[in-house]
Amino acid sequence: MDIFGAYNMLNSFDKVAEIQQYISKNRLQNKSIGFVPTMGALHEGHISLIRKSREENDITIVSIFVNPTQFNDQGDFTRYPRTIEKDKILLEEAGCDCVFIPSVEEIYPSESFKKTEFSEGELGSRLEGKYRPGHFNGVATVVKRLFDIITPNRAYFGQKDYQQCLIVKKLVNDFNIPVEIVVCPILREENGLAMSSRNQLLSAEEREQAAFLYQLLQAAAMKIKGGNRNTGEIKEWAMAEFSKNRNFEPDYFDICNDADLSQVTTLQEGMRVVICTAAFLGKVRLIDNIIVEI
Ligand code: AMP
């Protein structure tokens, strides 16, 4: 906001050529660019990434693109919330400089753009990769395309999608893309539920019930902090809690190495692990995680 209480003007582009022109203009003035890729239906979690980008860069660009190539479930793609007009107001209030809202044709003008020759490696076959085949290849493809268009100095991602952060770091490393990846903490609702665009699809009652997921992660973290070193036992306990709960249908609850997400069997002092979980609450699939330093 400026001294008159007015917000920055939000530049909005939907064509690659237009945003590239805007970027060239800013580059000529030696301005650094922070980039926050999103699928829209914005919430405070997204806004926290924008705030961080504004602290660290001269201009902040947000993209809104519901990327079809990363949805393995067509129903999920169709149901995904789309609230562009409200998003633009939130972006303006957050002081975002520019929003890029491309069409599918603009991002994928031909078939060759739809596939990045990127090997996710074993990392991509674990956790989300196992339950959402093709998902990370779609993520890598769109992130690479967006990085090619925007050429940001820094790009901001949420720890909420922990595995996605590792995949993006691998992508950047494999292709030598000159961008710094900044991972930001998870923003939560008052009851602990990790903020997510998909939460809009939950009923008021389900939103209350959803608090269970973070409670479970916290309780497992407490067990580890309290000296339990047996991951098998903790996982069994968590699965038993899921079956008592009934509202949730879990995909996984795993205690993983924080660098490659391989399963950790025996915990040791000095380790840093991430407990990751995914579960359906009704039709909505929720994911969450917590980092534990032992
Ligand atoms: P999405 O629109 O869901 O693709 O998310 C765009 C970015 O916002 C991703 O890097 C997410 O990890 C991040 N994000 C989503 N939810 C949260 C949250 N609750 N806290 C912080 N970042 C988040």
Side-chain angles (χ1 to χ4, degrees):
M1 243 194 274
D2 66 21
I3 50 167
F4 305 110
Y7 294 110
N8 284 355
M9 202 195 67
L10 177 70
N11 293 281
S12 176
F13 302 111
D14 51 18
K15 296 279 184 283
V16 171
E18 288 168 2
I19 192 156
Q20 285 185 325
Q21 208 176 4
Y22 170 83
I23 289 164
S24 305
K25 234 173 28 197
N26 281 282
R27 286 283 182 218
L28 281 175
Q29 298 167 44
N30 266 332
K31 295 210 172 148
S32 61
I33 296 175
F35 176 44
V36 183
T38 82
M39 297 204 298
L42 302 179
H43 51 70
E44 268 301 309
H46 296 113
I47 303 299
S48 71
L49 269 52
I50 295 166
R51 276 198 206 105
K52 182 86 178 143
S53 170
R54 291 192 68 207
E55 278 167 31
E56 298 181 347
N57 303 279
D58 297 319
I59 63 167
T60 292
I61 300 178
V62 171
S63 64
I64 298 180
F65 181 62
V66 185
N67 174 35
T69 67
Q70 73 187 68
F71 283 82
N72 52 309
D73 172 354
Q74 192 53 38
D76 187 24
F77 177 68
T78 317
R79 276 195 301 273
Y80 200 85
R82 289 157 171 92
T83 57
I84 290 289
E85 291 314 313
K86 191 169 154 235
D87 289 352
K88 282 190 182 171
I89 294 169
L90 289 177
L91 290 174
E92 197 148 15
E93 284 175 0
C96 169
D97 299 282
C98 173
V99 62
F100 181 45
I101 314 176
S103 64
V104 173
E105 294 71 33
E106 201 64 17
I107 292 294
Y108 303 120
S110 67
E111 280 303 306
S112 58
F113 283 92
K114 284 193 181 158
K115 222 158 176 57
T116 295
E117 286 310 317
F118 167 67
S119 162
E120 311 157 352
E122 279 191 54
L123 171 64
S125 64
R126 296 177 176 140
L127 307 178
E128 288 299 285
K130 188 164 154 202
Y131 288 89
R132 302 186 66 188
H135 169 65
F136 286 123
N137 208 285
V139 169
T141 304
V142 77
V143 170
K144 169 93 172 34
R145 175 87 173 114
L146 289 168
F147 282 177
D148 284 346
I149 296 167
I150 312 274
T151 63
N153 298 79
R154 296 180 193 83
Y156 296 79
F157 291 84
Q159 184 206 313
K160 157 95 192 319
D161 299 282
Y162 192 95
Q163 193 170 9
Q164 172 170 280
C165 292
L166 294 183
I167 292 277
V168 170
K169 283 183 178 174
K170 184 174 189 305
L171 174 82
V172 162
N173 194 54
D174 287 7
F175 285 92
N176 297 110
I177 306 173
V179 57
E180 183 190 335
I181 303 301
V182 183
V183 178
C184 305
I186 306 175
L187 258 76
R188 300 181 177 280
E189 303 290 351
E190 243 168 63
N191 70 1
L193 169 64
M195 289 182 183
S196 164
S197 306
R198 286 190 178 84
N199 293 353
Q200 293 187 17
L201 305 172
L202 299 171
S203 67
E205 194 188 2
E206 284 172 329
R207 272 180 181 241
E208 287 309 310
Q209 294 165 350
F212 166 81
L213 210 56
Y214 186 49
Q215 285 162 5
L216 199 63
L217 286 170
Q218 280 182 307
M222 287 294 282
K223 282 180 188 288
I224 296 174
K225 290 271 187 198
N228 192 328
R229 296 287 174 257
N230 185 338
T231 57
E233 191 182 297
I234 298 169
K235 281 196 291 190
E236 246 174 60
W237 164 83
M239 282 307 176
E241 291 297 309
F242 268 125
S243 47
K244 276 192 246 165
N245 180 292
R246 302 275 172 144
N247 298 318
F248 280 94
E249 197 54 59
D251 273 350
Y252 59 80
F253 185 98
D254 281 328
I255 302 171
C256 306
N257 177 303
D258 70 329
D260 64 9
L261 296 179
S262 59
Q263 300 227 12
V264 174
T265 43
T266 316
L267 296 162
Q268 284 163 8
E269 292 288 306
M271 262 186 178
R272 192 167 179 271
V273 294
V274 53
I275 314 177
C276 300
T277 188
F280 279 95
L281 177 57
K283 276 195 164 146
V284 182
R285 189 170 180 279
L286 301 175
I287 61 170
D288 202 352
N289 66 77
I290 191 168
I291 295 172
V292 190
E293 289 179 31
I294 306 166

